[in-house]
Amino acid sequence: MAKKSEGKQLAQNKKASHDYFIEETYEAGMVLMGTEIKSLRTGRANINDAFATIRNGEIFINNLHISPFEQGNRSNPTDPTRARKLLMHKSQIHKLLGQSKQEGYTIVPLKIYVRNGYAKLLIGLGKGKKQYDKRESAAKKDAQRDIQRALKEKQKVAR
């Protein structure tokens, strides 16, 4: 049997790397209802305002907006931002719970993708950045971009 390949990235939280230092990442499965997977595959998800919480030893993603599928039937969920359960090993959840209880740490959703036909969510343990950290990160990114531009110009001149 041929192994299914990794699909495309369906949604990404670009603000996460700007607002947080991501220290660890975890992959979690998502419990979806009805035609939510079809809507996800068409790229109709918004992950920017989403956040994760741990309740009763289970992890949930809140505020993840998945638009209803147009050709869907009545088994479509009515609330596009409902809390969705994530599937992770119990030891990973306990580790995340302990680390997120520390001051300044939170669980941040990073991106949604499909692996072997199943929707996966990449979550990260993030520590919030201060304003001066954000400016420092932007300055480093600009410096790196200038270096790459200079190297590219130098290679053009050498030819």
Side-chain angles (χ1 to χ4, degrees), residues 29 80 91 97 113 120 140 152:
S91 60
L97 178 63
Y113 54 94
K120 301 289 183 177
K140 282 183 184 178
K152 192 180 263 187

Side-chain angles (χ1 to χ4, degrees), residues 134-147:
K134 293 179 187 180
R135 283 193 290 264
E136 185 178 308
S137 295
K140 282 183 184 178
K141 193 181 289 185
D142 289 342
Q144 191 65 30
R145 194 176 305 126
D146 290 342
I147 290 169

Side-chain angles (χ1 to χ4, degrees), residues 104-118:
Y105 283 92
T106 187
I107 304 168
V108 182
L110 301 174
K111 65 181 174 178
I112 299 175
Y113 54 94
V114 175
R115 173 174 284 165
N116 295 337
Y118 296 104

Side-chain angles (χ1 to χ4, degrees), residues 27-41:
E27 181 181 74
M30 295 173 47
V31 177
L32 301 173
M33 292 176 54
T35 56
E36 284 181 329
I37 187 66
K38 291 182 179 183
S39 187
L40 262 180
R41 287 180 190 268

Side-chain angles (χ1 to χ4, degrees), residues 8-113:
K8 65 176 182 161
Q9 179 175 305
L10 304 175
Q12 182 177 7
N13 188 354
K14 294 180 180 177
K15 280 177 36 178
S17 62
H18 183 262
D19 293 339
Y20 299 97
F21 292 113
I22 305 298
E23 296 186 0
E24 284 187 64
T25 59
Y26 298 92
E27 181 181 74
M30 295 173 47
V31 177
L32 301 173
M33 292 176 54
T35 56
E36 284 181 329
I37 187 66
K38 291 182 179 183
S39 187
L40 262 180
R41 287 180 190 268
T42 59
R44 299 182 46 106
N46 185 355
I47 195 172
N48 290 338
D49 298 329
F51 61 96
T53 56
I54 299 176
R55 295 188 304 256
N56 300 329
E58 296 178 333
I59 188 165
F60 293 90
I61 185 83
N62 301 306
N63 259 7
L64 171 64
H65 188 279
I66 299 176
S67 298
F69 191 61
E70 290 89 17
Q71 291 84 25
N73 53 14
R74 60 181 169 223
S75 70
N76 269 349
T78 55
D79 184 18
T81 60
R82 68 180 179 83
R84 292 169 179 87
K85 185 176 177 180
L86 298 180
L87 305 173
M88 293 179 72
H89 293 285
K90 191 171 287 245
S91 60
Q92 289 178 325
I93 294 173
H94 288 307
K95 185 176 179 183
L96 263 176
L97 178 63
Q99 291 174 333
S100 66
K101 292 278 186 192
Q102 296 176 12
E103 187 68 29
Y105 283 92
T106 187
I107 304 168
V108 182
L110 301 174
K111 65 181 174 178
I112 299 175
Y113 54 94

